[in-house]
Amino acid sequence: MAELSSILNGHQQRAGATPLPSVLIATRHGESAANVEFQLAEATGALTVPITCRDADIALSMHGQAQAQALGRWWAALPPGDRPRAVWCSPYVRTAETARIALAQAAGLGAVPVGLTVRYDERLRDRELGILEMLTAAAIEKRYPEEAARRRKMGELYYRPPGGESWADVALRVRDCLRDLCVEEAGQPVLLVAHDNVVLMVRYVLDRLSEEQLLALDAVRNCSVGVWRAGYDRLVPELWNETGHLDT
């Protein structure tokens, strides 16, 4: 795990130390209605999915709600000192629902401090896909073959669809968000609820992965958890893409 001093621009908690949360937990939202539809479309080769709302308004599936409840039970089972005392969340519906359900589940088990509220931060929103939004892989190849070819040439980290963002663009706003989070939540455990690419970029930034290392990672699973613990001037990884709590 690389040091965070360059990420945090020299903010100091005490002489020679960088402010850090005691524990940072990053999770992807539970399964969404769009996740279900895209899985079906990819399996059948369909070019369209029956999603008409904005990406920001896509809700959790019933299974996704159950996953968020399982996340809340996992939260409640943490050692008291590791239980989140702050929640930073993407403002999209599926992430907000995940945070709300997990928080309510943990609170019902007596594991949430009085007054804890969810902080929504636009920098944690999902990657914007521009003209490719809500298109299946088959549809992109058929309707925008030149973009499919450019994507293959540029690679996932640097390919930016027209009107959208590259992974590197998302990493820039994740760095900025982490800078604020580390200063404002120094010394306490924090839960970050976001999207697959955002959580992936958290790992990329904190671990200073190379492009090759990043692309070798598996997709971030719904309601999986990544955990980092504070050391001296750094957050040390303990878990990544863990989903064992979803089987209980």
Side-chain angles (χ1 to χ4, degrees), residues 108-179:
L109 295 170
V112 175
V114 175
L116 188 152
T117 58
V118 178
R119 170 171 174 167
Y120 298 101
D121 195 303
E122 185 63 29
R123 292 171 293 185
L124 298 175
R125 72 188 184 276
D126 205 357
R127 178 191 175 198
E128 296 176 1
L129 291 174
I131 65 169
L132 305 186
E133 184 170 310
M134 294 300 164
L135 295 182
T136 65
I140 293 170
E141 289 286 351
K142 181 174 182 178
R143 299 179 187 178
Y144 299 104
E146 71 287 353
E147 287 301 319
R150 190 164 69 89
R151 183 177 185 174
R152 288 188 289 270
K153 179 180 179 180
M154 296 295 296
E156 292 292 346
L157 181 58
Y158 297 113
Y159 170 70
R160 181 188 293 125
E165 296 176 294
S166 67
W167 287 15
D169 292 328
V170 177
L172 289 175
R173 52 179 166 90
V174 165
R175 288 179 191 276
D176 190 62
C177 185
L178 285 174
R179 182 182 299 116

Side-chain angles (χ1 to χ4, degrees), residues 82-97:
D82 290 349
R83 294 171 185 165
R85 296 179 194 147
V87 178
W88 289 46
C89 184
S90 160
Y92 283 19
V93 169
R94 56 192 178 275
T95 42
E97 286 185 334

